[in-house]
Amino acid sequence: WRGALSLWLGRDRAAAGDLEAAAAQGNPDAWTWRGALRVRARDWAGARSDLRAALERDPSDAEALAWRVESRLASGDRRGAHKDLAALEAVSPGSLWVSVFKDLARGGRVSGKRSPALRQARAVLAAAGGLRRSDPHLNAFWINRARFVRSVLS
């Protein structure tokens, strides 16, 4: 859990060693978190490998699905992103991350017009740091933190 906590706090360097050790020990959550770390490092192939391993162990791992959607969107794999987004929505209906990634996939366009949704989605990602949990009780935290980040960036 120390590696996960470091990841959640945005301390990627500190997380790396702990997550490597956890993966070597067979901790099933380590694959999701190491995959997340690799997404943050823009190591798309490594991220997909780890996230695939996590999802082979638990296809309903919403956090692994969220990170894989993000990885696919960032690397230009829109078809894969939409497939994973549908899976994420199926296992975690109402998840804030479903809305965030839909906004990112649309490029912030609603009915062909620019909307503030893209800016809000990017602010939520920035506020979330290394965390993509789908727990409903966290949604208010992300939204409020994203508003703060957006106000600072304005």
Side-chain angles (χ1 to χ4, degrees):
W1 284 96
R2 189 174 59 200
L5 181 59
S6 293
L7 174 70
W8 298 341
L9 294 172
R11 298 177 182 155
D12 295 356
R13 188 171 295 174
D18 289 329
L19 294 175
E20 288 296 329
Q25 294 170 2
N27 179 325
D29 294 324
W31 299 102
T32 296
W33 297 327
R34 193 173 72 173
L37 184 64
R38 290 179 169 174
V39 170
R40 290 171 55 82
R42 303 179 65 80
D43 172 6
W44 309 130
R48 288 203 192 124
S49 176
D50 283 346
L51 295 169
R52 181 175 43 255
L55 291 165
E56 285 172 358
R57 286 173 176 74
D58 180 4
S60 66
D61 182 341
E63 191 172 9
L65 283 166
W67 281 110
R68 198 162 75 172
V69 170
E70 185 171 341
S71 171
R72 290 180 188 244
L73 284 172
S75 66
D77 179 6
R78 296 180 66 74
R79 182 176 293 159
H82 286 287
K83 179 181 171 191
D84 284 342
L85 186 53
L88 176 60
E89 191 166 23
V91 301
S92 190
S95 166
L96 172 69
W97 297 111
V98 171
S99 298
V100 166
F101 293 128
K102 281 183 176 181
D103 289 340
L104 289 172
R106 282 193 298 262
R109 295 192 176 278
V110 176
S111 301
K113 297 179 182 176
R114 269 281 197 226
S115 83
L118 181 61
R119 191 170 185 194
Q120 180 74 17
R122 287 182 177 153
V124 169
L125 285 177
L131 185 57
R132 300 294 181 272
R133 305 269 318 177
S134 291
D135 305 315
H137 64 275
L138 293 174
N139 288 351
F141 170 77
W142 300 134
I143 291 168
N144 288 332
R145 190 160 176 206
R147 286 182 182 136
F148 171 76
V149 169
R150 195 176 70 237
S151 71
V152 169
L153 296 176
S154 312

